[in-house]
């Protein structure tokens, strides 16, 4: 059994007490953590690889609870346009013209950015090809909760997406039975509900029944936009959350994304039903608004962090999202004490694992848990001098400071070099496929400035 011993580091265990071991170590054997903190030398085998950290940080890998992997090669498609233009003229035409192979390559592209920013686990809210996403996730070495983008109603849907409730449910069951718990358990399949605009009541109810049957989660955009609130009140006289409560969908296995337009009663329902929240600050700042994250944290609601997709936030970088989270709530609340750095680190690690119903597997560095961890090197002008060692990880760190990423005991990136994927080949193919989809979809982005092509 192979061992890796990381010694003499600044170890943030993110355990129940958030214990930090200054000068501590982490001993990994195969895919599990054997010891954390003061490691008994007798546990270290003679042939173990010993890595001297010289005070570098060791953290649990970050958990990105909402990332559209199929949108990665659409980057730039939604910049500076209104919501309806983004949805009907850009995003839906783009996604509906993707093939399974496009989805596969797009997910590989996403994986590269996730690995480089210290992510070891993610939740995909729904592309059209779980098969392609599963293949890419297996190859990347990451953990992924994959879901199909599920819609059985709504205006303006491309013809290829116009499916019945039964068709949508059947496809998800097929995907789950084929791909769930594959790749040594790293690839898992959840049920998806796109939005209340595009999901009938019966679909919501049947989805909940199936999620409970298979013991998995439901990934849904909830109370995302002002237009959604206006729609639900006009139709039912109540918001999305209250309507989902009446349908029996609110529960501990619902991952609710964005959750911007919630009132006090709906927040109480989240707390009562142990609904999990994925906060996506960058995409919310673009057009959605400001979620009531300080109040959610004070209430004890499980809040995690996601990046959303490249069509609504061009950064799939968890380090950037942590930094934004540290700023926006202070600004709109005019209170510099809300959402402190230590809560943001919890959101990005152990609370993220809890949101994905995996807190017993990863999210903290503890003996017996999966060896999902990252090494952070603070050396350089962006983080140094490091006076507040915890705050610096949120307020000063960049993804370039993530030196190495390990998932399931395997190094995915070591000393900033990706080890599991051919990065340059993926970049090349992704750009070619992205351009081809733009052509097929008839999307032409206008030039921002006059362009003069110069012949050499």
């Amino acid at each position: 059994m192979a061992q890796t011993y990381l010694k003499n580091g600044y170890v943030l265990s993110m355990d129940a007490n958030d214990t930090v071991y200054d000068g501590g170590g982490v001993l990994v054997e195969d895919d599990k953590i054997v010891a954390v903190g003061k490691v008994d030398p007798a546990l270290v085998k003679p042939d173990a690889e010993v890595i001297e950290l010289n005070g570098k940080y060791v953290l649990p890998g970050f958990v990105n609870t909402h990332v559209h992997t199929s949108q990665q090669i659409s980057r730039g498609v939604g910049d500076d346009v209104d919501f309806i233009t983004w949805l009907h003229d850009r995003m839906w035409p783009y996604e509906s013209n993707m093939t399974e192979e496009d989805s596969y390559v797009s997910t590989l592209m996403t994986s590269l950015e996730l690995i480089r920013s210290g992510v070891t686990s993610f939740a995909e809210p729904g592309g059209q090809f779980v098969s392609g996403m599963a293949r890419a996730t297996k190859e990347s070495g990451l953990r992924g909760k994959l879901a199909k983008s599920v819609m059985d109603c709504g205006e303006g849907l491309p013809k290829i997406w116009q499916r019945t409730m039964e068709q949508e449910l059947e496809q998800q069951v097929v995907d789950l039975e084929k791909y769930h718990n594959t790749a040594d358990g790293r690839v898992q399949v959840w049920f998806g509900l796109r939005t209340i605009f595009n999901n009938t009541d019966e679909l919501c109810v049947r989805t909940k029944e199936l999620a409970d049957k298979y013991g998995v989660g439901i990934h849904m955009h909830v109370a995302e936009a002002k237009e959604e609130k206006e729609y639900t009140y006009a139709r039912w006289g109540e918001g999305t959350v209250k309507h989902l409560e009446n349908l029996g969908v609110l529960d501990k296995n619902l991952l609710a994304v964005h959750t911007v337009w919630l009132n006090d009663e709906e927040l109480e329902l989240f707390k009562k039903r142990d609904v999990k929240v994925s906060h996506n600050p960058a995409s919310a700042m673009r057009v959605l608004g400001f979620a009531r994250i300080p109040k959610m944290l004070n209430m004890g609601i499980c809040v995690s962090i996601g990046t959303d997709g490249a069509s609504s936030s061009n950064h799939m970088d968890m380090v950037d999202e942590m930094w934004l989270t540290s700023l926006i709530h202070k600004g709109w609340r005019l209170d510099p004490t809300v959402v402190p750095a230590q809560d943001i680190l919890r959101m990005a690690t152990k609370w993220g694992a809890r949101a994905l119903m995996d807190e017993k597997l990863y999210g903290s560095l503890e003996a017996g848990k999966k060896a999902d961890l990252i090494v952070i090197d603070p050396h350089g002008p962006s983080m140094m001098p490091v006076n507040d060692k915890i705050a610096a990880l949120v307020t000063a760190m960049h993804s370039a400071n993530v030196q190495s990423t390990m998932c399931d005991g395997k190094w995915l990136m070591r000393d900033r070099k990706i080890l599991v994927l051919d990065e340059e080949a993926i970049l090349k193919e992704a750009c070619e496929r992205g351009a081809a989809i733009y052509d097929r979809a008839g999307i032409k982005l206008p030039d921002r400035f006059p362009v003069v092509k110069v012949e050499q």
Side-chain angles (χ1 to χ4, degrees), residues 170-454:
E170 181 181 352
Q171 182 61 59
Q172 290 181 94
V173 170
V174 168
D175 289 337
L176 190 147
E177 293 183 345
K178 185 172 184 179
Y179 299 109
H180 187 59
N181 273 331
T182 58
D184 298 321
R186 290 186 294 101
V187 173
Q188 298 194 349
V189 178
W190 277 19
F191 286 89
L193 289 169
R194 187 76 178 217
T195 71
I196 203 72
F197 291 111
N198 303 113
N199 300 139
T200 61
D201 286 355
E202 188 178 2
L203 174 63
C204 294
V205 172
R206 292 278 302 279
T207 296
K208 170 60 173 165
E209 292 171 351
L210 285 168
D212 290 346
K213 174 184 175 181
Y214 285 97
V216 299
I218 303 169
H219 199 149
M220 183 180 188
H221 302 78
V222 175
E224 178 179 11
K226 184 179 179 182
E227 292 87 349
E228 180 179 336
K229 179 179 179 180
E230 293 168 347
Y231 168 81
T232 58
Y233 273 89
R235 183 169 181 181
W236 297 297
E238 59 192 10
T240 301
V241 171
K242 187 66 181 299
H243 189 64
L244 292 175
E245 166 71 1
N246 292 336
L247 295 175
V249 176
L250 290 193
D251 205 349
K252 59 182 179 296
N253 63 344
L254 175 63
L255 177 61
V257 182
H258 300 306
T259 63
V260 173
W261 296 87
L262 300 185
N263 59 33
D264 288 345
E265 180 186 11
E266 292 170 322
L267 288 174
E268 290 292 345
L269 286 171
F270 268 35
K271 173 64 176 175
K272 179 181 179 180
R273 301 299 185 193
D274 194 21
V275 174
K276 312 307 190 298
V277 169
S278 178
H279 176 46
N280 295 204
S283 65
M285 287 173 67
R286 173 172 283 192
V287 69
L288 302 179
F290 299 100
R292 300 169 68 186
I293 300 301
K295 186 172 181 65
M296 293 183 197
L297 294 177
N298 289 336
M299 293 176 66
I301 294 170
C302 179
V303 182
S304 60
I305 296 176
T307 59
D308 213 346
S311 65
S312 51
S313 169
N314 289 330
H315 292 232
M316 303 304 99
D317 189 323
M318 277 288 287
V319 177
D320 288 351
E321 297 293 332
M322 290 163 59
W323 177 66
L324 285 174
T325 302
S326 77
L327 293 176
I328 64 172
H329 303 289
K330 292 171 169 56
W332 75 265
R333 286 284 301 274
L334 298 179
D335 183 353
T337 68
V338 300
V339 194
Q342 57 269 33
D343 272 352
I344 294 169
L345 287 170
R346 295 176 183 123
M347 292 162 70
T349 55
K350 62 182 178 182
W351 292 349
R354 182 183 163 202
L356 301 189
M357 304 195 299
D358 275 346
E359 63 267 36
K360 293 182 179 180
L361 286 179
Y362 55 85
S364 61
L365 302 179
E366 299 179 78
K369 286 197 171 184
K370 288 288 190 177
D372 294 6
L373 58 83
I374 55 178
V375 176
I376 293 170
D377 184 357
H379 186 79
S382 67
M383 285 188 71
M384 296 175 70
V386 183
N387 296 308
D388 186 330
K389 289 189 175 182
I390 301 302
L393 292 168
V394 174
T395 62
M397 182 171 70
H398 295 266
S399 57
N401 294 111
V402 180
Q403 183 183 68
S404 301
T405 301
M406 173 186 285
C407 183
D408 213 37
K410 180 179 181 180
W411 291 112
L412 310 185
M413 179 175 72
R414 187 95 180 256
D415 298 323
R416 296 298 296 168
K417 179 177 176 57
I418 299 289
L419 303 178
V420 289
L421 298 171
D422 185 338
E423 187 167 16
E424 287 304 316
I426 293 168
L427 293 174
K428 181 177 183 297
E429 184 173 1
C431 290
E432 292 170 352
R433 286 185 174 274
I437 297 169
Y438 271 87
D439 287 342
R440 289 201 300 272
I443 300 170
K444 182 171 175 57
L445 302 184
D447 292 330
R448 301 281 180 145
F449 294 117
V451 176
V452 178
K453 292 186 178 181
V454 178

Side-chain angles (χ1 to χ4, degrees), residues 39-278:
V39 177
D40 184 350
L43 294 174
V44 184
K45 296 179 179 179
D47 61 349
E49 180 185 16
V50 179
I51 300 173
E52 172 59 55
L53 295 174
N54 295 313
K56 295 172 186 174
Y57 293 88
V58 184
L59 275 74
F62 295 136
V63 183
N64 184 340
T65 57
H66 184 74
V67 54
H68 290 265
T69 65
S70 291
Q71 293 181 6
Q72 191 78 357
I73 58 177
S74 73
R75 182 174 267 139
V77 74
D79 290 345
D80 299 332
V81 295
D82 62 73
F83 180 73
I84 298 302
T85 300
W86 173 83
L87 190 65
H88 290 279
D89 298 340
R90 300 282 183 87
M91 201 60 251
W92 282 359
Y94 192 94
E95 278 195 278
S96 64
N97 274 278
M98 294 186 76
T99 66
E100 179 180 343
E101 198 68 13
D102 292 331
S103 180
Y104 162 70
V105 174
S106 186
T107 302
L108 289 177
M109 271 284 281
T110 311
S111 299
L112 290 171
E113 189 167 9
L114 296 182
I115 292 168
R116 287 198 170 279
S117 60
V119 170
T120 53
S121 180
F122 70 90
E124 155 68 61
Q128 294 300 315
F129 302 99
V130 170
S131 52
M133 295 186 292
R135 181 157 53 109
T137 304
K138 178 181 179 180
E139 293 175 13
S140 74
L142 292 167
R143 299 187 192 281
K145 307 277 190 181
L146 311 178
K148 183 182 182 300
S149 178
V150 175
M151 297 175 282
D152 68 339
C153 66
E155 296 181 4
L157 288 179
K159 187 174 181 180
I160 195 173
W161 289 354
Q162 294 175 17
R163 304 185 183 100
T164 66
M165 177 194 68
E166 292 295 345
Q167 288 174 320
E168 289 288 55
L169 292 175
E170 181 181 352
Q171 182 61 59
Q172 290 181 94
V173 170
V174 168
D175 289 337
L176 190 147
E177 293 183 345
K178 185 172 184 179
Y179 299 109
H180 187 59
N181 273 331
T182 58
D184 298 321
R186 290 186 294 101
V187 173
Q188 298 194 349
V189 178
W190 277 19
F191 286 89
L193 289 169
R194 187 76 178 217
T195 71
I196 203 72
F197 291 111
N198 303 113
N199 300 139
T200 61
D201 286 355
E202 188 178 2
L203 174 63
C204 294
V205 172
R206 292 278 302 279
T207 296
K208 170 60 173 165
E209 292 171 351
L210 285 168
D212 290 346
K213 174 184 175 181
Y214 285 97
V216 299
I218 303 169
H219 199 149
M220 183 180 188
H221 302 78
V222 175
E224 178 179 11
K226 184 179 179 182
E227 292 87 349
E228 180 179 336
K229 179 179 179 180
E230 293 168 347
Y231 168 81
T232 58
Y233 273 89
R235 183 169 181 181
W236 297 297
E238 59 192 10
T240 301
V241 171
K242 187 66 181 299
H243 189 64
L244 292 175
E245 166 71 1
N246 292 336
L247 295 175
V249 176
L250 290 193
D251 205 349
K252 59 182 179 296
N253 63 344
L254 175 63
L255 177 61
V257 182
H258 300 306
T259 63
V260 173
W261 296 87
L262 300 185
N263 59 33
D264 288 345
E265 180 186 11
E266 292 170 322
L267 288 174
E268 290 292 345
L269 286 171
F270 268 35
K271 173 64 176 175
K272 179 181 179 180
R273 301 299 185 193
D274 194 21
V275 174
K276 312 307 190 298
V277 169
S278 178

